[in-house]
Amino acid sequence: MKIKDIKIDLKKLLLPALILVIIAQLCVPVYMMADRYDTLKNGEEYKFKVRPVDPYDAFRGRYVDLYLGPMDGGYGKYGIIKVDSSGFAKVKTITNQKPKDGAYIKSGSNDDWFELPIDRYYMDEKLAPKAEELMWSGDEAREAYVTVRVKNGKLVVSGLYVDGQAIEDVIKNS
């Protein structure tokens, strides 16, 4: 076999290899979107109380930062969800073993300390500053909560509500 023949064979493999790389790069984001969509569509809904703050990030733009208040953290990768008498969810138990039944959330942390993977709610960048202003106008902060969908330990934020109304509707009506 001559070196000249090897170059011809590599050229023939280049196009199929390039096509495979492109397909692989497209499959990863499509899978991620499909997984989130499945959680939103088929996951069980829970409400978590939050305190929204409107930060600005040069790379991410405007979003509403969600502060869930003090939470009893702990070592473990899974947080078991319990709903209190007022209808709000809380992580009651943290464990390293994946629960076999019941609602649970996989930690958003890469280490052994449990963290809820809820930290921001993206919205129109023109509305985000108005959301913060709305939340902190007056003497007391208004009641705010996020709704999330949970399925197989995955969590997706589905909405931000102020006094029982979607934040976008409250801003448009004010």
Side-chain angles (χ1 to χ4, degrees), residues 99-157:
K100 293 180 180 167
D101 58 352
Y104 66 93
I105 299 171
K106 187 173 181 190
S107 177
S109 172
N110 289 331
D111 58 14
D112 287 339
W113 187 258
F114 181 82
E115 287 181 10
L116 273 173
I118 304 173
D119 61 353
R120 62 186 64 114
Y121 178 76
Y122 289 97
M123 59 188 306
D124 184 308
E125 66 180 47
K126 292 176 184 170
L127 297 180
K130 293 177 185 175
E132 181 189 20
E133 182 182 318
L134 175 76
M135 288 302 302
W136 298 108
S137 61
D139 295 333
E140 293 184 22
R142 300 168 99 174
E143 181 181 74
Y145 63 90
V146 290
T147 55
V148 300
R149 295 285 181 156
V150 177
K151 182 179 178 188
N152 299 329
K154 296 176 185 153
L155 176 140
V156 177
V157 176

